[in-house]
């Protein structure tokens, strides 16, 4: 049966209306039920899953039950489907012999004799349902146990663990295939306790047996790290952990545990200890020959090879001279002169600087014919690492092994590491010896060099120096003392790194190494003056033989001049910023002067016409003044959007639905020559945004796109979801997270990089004079940033432009209605309310009061917060409070509203404000019953909003 959680009953009662009556009884008792038409249908429904079955005896009498019993036979171990059989001759077996057949066929059967009371049937049905639910619980527990076992197996396998059990009564070892693999055995090979002991390294075998006996004796957990020898001769480390299980009598019954290969870790630990020991031995060795022997001894003992050594090579004679080498007990030394050709052809590889490693001389093509000679010197497996000096093959580090051995990548890396450290230590020791010799003969060398110097050396204003190829200063000219204050005696014989700035030591050393390969050109660094300060020096250098000839020019003054230049450039950038501010304010003043001229001129003409009695033109001048006021409001709105101080009404918004609501407007706006394509992501997330502002932004973008395609084209509006990780968000100057994208793409003329860089600047426009304010994109930029998003432009000249808006994802459900404005004619009569108006601007307060009076409302007035609170704490009925946000005398509008809500929790509040102060909107969110209206607003808009708030 399938995995079901069904609790309902299946009813099979073919006579008359028995099925319908039984179903009605169950449903009246709050139980679910389905009716089966016949026995095959019942079997199919049981197979699909059910809680229990109710059958009548006549439905089963003489019927073929094989199909039903086959379904029941397939039940899981936890399942025993309950049956309630309605009989006519009693429910007991002694009164109804036919019940025996049903018990055998159905199993879990309860008999109910008819006629019966409905409560009896309901009682049995509920009992059957409870029994079925307990079966489901048992199934869940079994599944949890099975899942836990599978997870345990998976965890053991994923952790590289091998499970094992040792039965102490029979000394029988039970192991998993992974455990066999850790001991070098295949899954199908037998592997008992004796095989396990045989696989352990002989040196660890006794300790292993003793550890097991100790754990059995004192009951402690067994834990050991042992070496294991595989049949191919390779050595592996295993960590073995076991726990003793005892009988109730305290006798050890079995040991259960896991094993884990730790070869890599042990090898790393051994080699790290070897490298630390190598450093100590190299430092303490009396000479370079002893240093070479110590390195060979470290390599040989750590890798467990037969022999390790170091020799000086002659690539022309193709020989190696060995003074001393390290070997395992019984392995003779190779001291003396050996000819490479006697042992194979691999000398050609060594001459090319290639490492030579072969696992078996008998099978390597370079040594197959000379393998007997190699075996005679216990070198069936070999590693030869050539060492070069000034590009010439000059020495060889070698390892030999009596038996075949596969050299791993880690083995060869370790050999190279030891070789590099040893060679560096030897070269350093030689340099120190040379420096000691130089110090002993310093007076003679100074005299010789003094004779070599000419007037240029003595009189040069640049710092001239001769260094050894390892960076030791051998000679300097007098300019060093003049520039740095040090005498020649204080400088010569010391490393150039001593005088460099500590932060530049790696770079200075890199510059020296580059000079060994090619002339150094214009490298600048800081050198320490004797007084502790630093001077900037520009160097050029070249290598001749084993000497570096360097010339340094003192450029501290130039660097300071460069710093002064950077400061001047910073000042210039600041001046440019101020110029941009001037451009912003100048453009604003220009546009507002035009608008104020239209408004004030119209008002003056209205006043003049009224005095003259000529009122025919008054309506036209009134319209001109109103139009100028609307344009001024729009300009202010765009500036607030650019500055991210506009008042927003963010709501959970479905952008797909928003675009669909004004798609027709967009098409009319772009014209018939433009193809408008909408590509919607049907799984688009919700975003928290002001839908009206977003609608204006999309309309602006489409109009800009239209203007970029004077000969027609295509505009594509596309929505989508995107998730930005830390790297992607940083590139877009955003916070990581999930965003909704809204893209507007045109096929127009495109934008240059310079235009893209200034596209969001206020008053910047590429349109002819008088055809654009230059605030459209800056308004969009400010609005999107205020909404927590970002705007990005991608464009290519001649191929079009894409404006992509990123808006943060919201977990809120999108509102079904995109508009919250209620048309005035849809609002019922709402006069007779009492409204409190709080505004410190008398003219604005007077306009609001007059509007309320025209609507038939009673008005209370206050010019500041404390006065408003006095009225709010009175017993007067107040239905609505209209308040400015910015108020004098220590309380802003939001604080007044919060205080009002304490006394009048249901008071409706309308904020009127010029921009979105944080105190009012609370970071973009208003409390329920609070609304906001942006200044400037028309009196018709104010009237509609007041009617809307007072109607409910």
């Amino acid at each position: 049966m399938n995995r079901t959680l069904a609790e309902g009953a299946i009813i099979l009662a073919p006579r008359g209306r028995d099925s319908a009556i039984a179903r009605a009884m169950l449903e009246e008792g709050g139980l679910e039920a389905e009716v089966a038409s016949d026995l095959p249908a019942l079997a199919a429904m049981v197979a699909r899953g059910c809680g229990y079955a109710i059958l009548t005896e006549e439905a089963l009498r003489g019927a073929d039950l094989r199909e039903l019993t086959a379904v029941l036979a397939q039940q899981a171990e936890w399942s025993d489907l309950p049956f309630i059989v309605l009989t006519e001759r009693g429910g007991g077996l002694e009164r109804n012999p036919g019940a025996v057949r049903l018990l055998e066929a159905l199993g879990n059967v309860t008999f109910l004799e008819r006629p019966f009371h409905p409560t009896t049937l309901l009682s049995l049905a509920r009992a059957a349902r409870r029994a079925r639910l307990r079966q489901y619980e048992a199934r869940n527990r079994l599944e949890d146990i099975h899942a836990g076992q599978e997870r345990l197996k998976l965890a053991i396998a994923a952790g590289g663990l091998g499970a094992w059990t040792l039965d102490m009564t029979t000394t029988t070892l039970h192991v998993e295939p992974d455990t066999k693999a850790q001991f070098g055995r295949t899954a199908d090979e037998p592997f008992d306790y004796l095989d396990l002991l045989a696989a352990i390294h002989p040196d660890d075998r006794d300790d292993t047996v003793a550890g097991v006996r100790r754990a059995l004796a004192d009951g402690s957990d067994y834990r050991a790290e042992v070496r294991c020898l595989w049949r191919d001769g390779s050595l592996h480390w295993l960590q073995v952990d076991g726990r003793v299980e005892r009988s109730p009598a305290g006798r050890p019954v079995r040991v259960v545990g896991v094993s884990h290969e730790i070869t890599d870790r042990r090898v790393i630990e051994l080699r790290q200890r070897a490298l630390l020991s190598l450093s100590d031995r190299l430092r303490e060795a009396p000479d370079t020959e002893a240093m070479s022997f110590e390195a060979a001894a470290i390599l040989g003992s750590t890798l467990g090879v037969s022999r390790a050594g170091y020799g000086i090579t002659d690539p022309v004679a193709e020989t190696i001279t060995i003074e001393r080498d390290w070997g395992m007990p019984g392995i003779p030394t190779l001291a003396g002169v050996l000819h490479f050709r006697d042992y194979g052809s691999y000398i050609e590889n060594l001459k090319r600087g290639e490492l030579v490693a072969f696992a078996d001389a008998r099978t390597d093509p370079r040594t197959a014919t000379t393998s007997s000679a190699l075996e005679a010197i216990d070198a069936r497996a070999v590693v030869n690492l050539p060492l070069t000096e000034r590009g010439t093959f000059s020495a060889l580090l070698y390892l030999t092994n009596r038996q075949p051995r596969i050299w791993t990548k880690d083995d060869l890396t370790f050999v190279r590491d030891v070789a590099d450290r040893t060679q560096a230590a030897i070269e350093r020791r030689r340099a120190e010896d040379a420096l000691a010799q130089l110090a002993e003969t310093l007076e003679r060398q100074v005299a010789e060099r003094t004779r070599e110097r000419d007037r240029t050396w003595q009189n040069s204003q640049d710092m001239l120096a001769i260094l050894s190829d390892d960076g030791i200063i051998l000679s300097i000219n007098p300019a060093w003392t003049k520039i740095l204050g040090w005498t020649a005696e204080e400088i010569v014989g010391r490393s150039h790194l001593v005088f460099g700035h500590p932060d530049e030591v790696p770079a200075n050393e890199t510059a020296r190494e580059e000079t060994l390969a090619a002339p150094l050109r214009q490298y600048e660094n800081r050198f320490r003056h004797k007084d502790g300060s630093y001077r900037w020096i520009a160097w050029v250098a070249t290598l001749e033989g084993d000497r570096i000839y360097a010339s340094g020019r003192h450029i501290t003054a130039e660097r300071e001049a460069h710093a002064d230049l950077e400061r001047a450039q910073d000042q210039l950038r600041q001046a440019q910023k101020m110029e941009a501010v001037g451009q912003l304010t100048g453009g604003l003043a220009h546009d507002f002067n035009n608008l104020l001229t239209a408004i004030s001129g119209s008002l003056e003409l209205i006043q003049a016409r009224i005095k003259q009695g000529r009122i025919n033109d008054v309506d036209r001048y009134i319209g001109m003044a109103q139009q100028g006021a609307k344009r001024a409001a729009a300009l202010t709105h765009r500036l607030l959007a650019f500055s991210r101080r506009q008042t927003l009404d963010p709501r959970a918004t479905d952008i797909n639905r928003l675009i669909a609501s004004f798609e027709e407007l967009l098409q009319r706006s772009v014209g018939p020559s433009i193809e408008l394509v909408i590509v919607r992501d049907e799984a688009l997330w919700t975003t928290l945004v002001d839908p009206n502002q977003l609608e204006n932004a999309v309309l602006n973008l489409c109009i800009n796109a239209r203007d970029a395609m004077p000969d027609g084209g295509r505009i594509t509006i596309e929505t989508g979801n995107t998730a930005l990780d830390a790297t992607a968000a940083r590139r877009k100057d955003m916070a990581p997270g999930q965003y909704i994208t809204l893209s507007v793409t045109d096929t127009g003329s495109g934008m240059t990089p310079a235009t893209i860089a200034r596209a969001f600047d206020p008053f910047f426009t590429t349109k002819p004079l008088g055809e654009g304010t230059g605030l459209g994109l800056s308004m969009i930029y400010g609005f999107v940033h205020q909404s927590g998003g970002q705007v990005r432009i991608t464009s290519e000249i001649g191929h079009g432009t894409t404006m992509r808006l990123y808006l943060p994802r919201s977990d809120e459900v999108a509102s079904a209605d995109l508009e919250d404005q209620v048309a005035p004619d849809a609002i019922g009569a709402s006069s007779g309310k009492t409204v409190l108006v709080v505004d410190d601007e008398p003219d604005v307060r007077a306009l609001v009061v007059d509007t309320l009076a025209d609507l038939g409302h009673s008005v209370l007035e206050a010019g500041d917060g404390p006065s408003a609170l006095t009225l709010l704490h009175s017993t007067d009925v107040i239905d609505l409070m209209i308040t400015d946000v910015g108020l004098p005398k220590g309380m802003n509008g939001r604080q007044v509203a919060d205080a009002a809500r304490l006394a009048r929790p249901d008071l409706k509040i309308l904020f009127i404000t010029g921009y979105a102060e944080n105190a009012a909107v609370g970071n973009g969110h208003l409390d329920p019953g609070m609304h906001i209206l942006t200044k400037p607003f028309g009196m018709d808009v104010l009237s509609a909003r007041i009617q809307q708030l007072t109607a409910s």
Side-chain angles (χ1 to χ4, degrees), residues 518-652:
L520 183 67
R521 294 287 181 259
Q522 194 62 24
Y523 173 71
E524 297 180 4
N525 68 354
R526 287 170 287 181
F527 256 55
R528 180 162 50 90
H529 192 278
K530 192 171 183 177
D531 63 7
S533 61
Y534 285 88
R535 304 289 187 270
W536 280 97
I537 311 297
W539 294 98
V540 294
T542 186
L543 177 70
E544 292 186 14
D546 60 351
R547 295 287 185 267
I548 297 175
Y549 295 86
S551 174
R553 182 167 57 87
H554 185 206
I555 60 169
T556 301
E558 296 176 14
R559 297 281 297 207
E560 291 175 349
H562 180 71
D564 292 340
L565 177 60
E566 288 186 343
R567 284 192 290 273
Q569 289 174 339
D570 288 341
Q571 293 172 355
L572 175 60
R573 283 190 287 270
Q574 180 63 25
Q576 290 172 337
K577 290 180 183 177
M578 296 306 296
E579 176 66 21
V581 172
Q583 180 184 0
L584 172 63
T585 56
L588 178 61
H590 173 270
D591 282 4
F592 262 110
N593 281 337
N594 289 339
L595 297 172
L596 291 174
T597 298
I599 296 171
S600 62
S602 296
L603 292 175
E604 289 175 7
L605 287 174
I606 291 171
Q607 186 180 37
R609 293 294 186 268
I610 292 175
K611 287 182 179 180
Q612 297 167 2
R614 299 164 53 191
I615 62 174
N616 293 335
D617 294 334
V618 168
D619 287 341
R620 182 164 65 90
Y621 294 138
I622 290 175
M624 293 170 59
Q626 289 177 333
Q627 183 63 26
K630 290 180 180 178
R631 290 174 58 198
L635 179 59
T636 304
H637 169 73
R638 292 190 173 194
L639 286 172
L640 288 174
F642 170 74
S643 65
R644 285 175 264 173
R645 299 297 300 275
Q646 66 178 328
T647 303
L648 297 180
D649 185 13
R651 284 172 285 171

Side-chain angles (χ1 to χ4, degrees), residues 938-951:
M939 294 300 104
D940 56 342
V941 175
L942 176 63
S943 298
R945 182 58 67 93
I946 292 172
Q947 286 181 278
Q948 176 189 1
L949 296 177
T950 57

Side-chain angles (χ1 to χ4, degrees), residues 214-523:
R214 186 165 50 253
L216 293 174
D218 58 19
S220 60
D221 290 343
Y222 174 75
R223 183 182 180 85
E225 293 183 359
V226 299
R227 289 172 292 175
C228 175
L229 284 172
W230 286 15
R231 288 174 176 171
D232 61 3
S234 58
L235 182 68
H236 298 259
W237 282 88
L238 297 180
Q239 178 176 310
V240 182
D241 295 272
R243 173 161 293 181
V244 179
E245 295 184 0
R246 299 179 178 275
S247 66
R251 183 173 58 85
V253 176
R254 66 182 64 84
V255 183
V256 180
V258 293
S259 58
H260 179 54
E261 182 165 359
I262 58 171
T263 303
D264 292 342
R265 175 171 64 82
R266 289 291 297 182
V267 167
I268 291 172
E269 291 174 353
L270 290 173
R271 292 180 182 180
Q272 287 177 340
R273 286 199 293 268
L275 292 176
L276 292 174
S277 176
L278 174 66
S279 299
D280 295 337
R281 294 191 189 185
L282 292 177
R283 185 172 55 255
E284 296 169 359
D287 51 40
T288 57
E289 180 182 344
M291 295 168 74
S292 300
F293 176 78
E294 294 297 342
I298 289 286
L299 275 175
S301 58
T302 303
L303 294 177
V305 297
S306 301
R307 181 190 296 113
Y310 175 89
I312 304 301
T313 59
D314 184 341
V316 177
E318 297 183 344
T319 61
I320 179 172
T321 301
I322 302 171
E323 296 292 337
R324 181 185 178 194
D325 57 15
W326 175 92
M328 285 282 197
I331 302 298
T333 180
L334 293 180
V337 179
L338 281 72
H339 292 267
F340 284 106
R341 294 288 178 183
D342 294 340
Y343 303 100
S345 60
Y346 53 86
I347 180 61
E348 300 298 336
N349 301 89
L350 297 177
K351 287 181 180 180
R352 293 193 293 269
E354 301 171 358
L355 180 142
V356 173
F358 50 83
D360 191 343
R362 297 180 185 177
T363 59
D364 193 282
R366 296 167 295 184
T367 58
T369 58
T370 57
S371 60
S372 57
L374 287 165
E375 292 186 62
I377 60 171
D378 302 301
R380 189 166 174 182
V382 171
V383 172
N384 282 341
L385 178 64
L387 306 176
T388 59
E389 186 173 349
R390 304 190 188 283
T392 302
F393 173 35
S394 59
L396 182 74
L397 182 65
Y398 62 87
L399 305 175
T400 66
N401 202 57
R402 174 179 289 177
Q403 300 298 329
R405 170 169 176 156
I406 296 175
W407 306 102
T408 67
K409 181 179 178 180
D410 290 339
D411 291 340
L412 301 181
T413 299
F414 179 62
V415 172
R416 286 193 179 94
D417 201 359
V418 171
D420 291 343
R421 296 186 184 210
T422 303
Q423 191 171 21
I426 290 175
E427 291 177 355
R428 185 165 55 250
R429 179 67 62 86
R430 288 173 179 168
E432 292 171 354
D433 293 343
L435 182 60
Q437 294 176 5
L438 180 64
E440 293 174 0
T441 59
L442 182 59
E443 185 176 353
R444 177 180 57 81
Q445 292 180 13
V446 169
E448 291 176 356
R449 281 167 173 68
T450 301
R451 289 191 298 269
E452 294 174 356
R453 293 182 184 134
D454 55 19
R455 291 185 181 277
T456 303
W457 177 271
Q458 292 291 336
N459 298 329
S460 175
Q461 298 301 307
D462 291 339
M463 297 167 53
L464 305 179
I466 302 174
L467 297 84
S468 65
D469 56 3
D470 58 354
I472 303 299
I473 301 174
L474 305 179
S475 181
I476 61 171
N477 71 334
W480 282 70
T481 303
K482 180 179 179 181
I483 295 173
L484 297 179
W486 302 97
T487 65
E489 290 76 11
E490 293 172 317
I491 293 177
V492 172
R494 305 177 73 180
S495 171
H496 72 105
L497 300 175
V498 173
F499 300 94
H501 194 283
D503 294 343
E504 298 170 353
V505 168
N508 293 341
E509 183 62 11
T510 300
R512 180 192 66 81
E513 294 174 352
E514 292 176 352
T515 305
L516 300 180
L520 183 67
R521 294 287 181 259
Q522 194 62 24
Y523 173 71

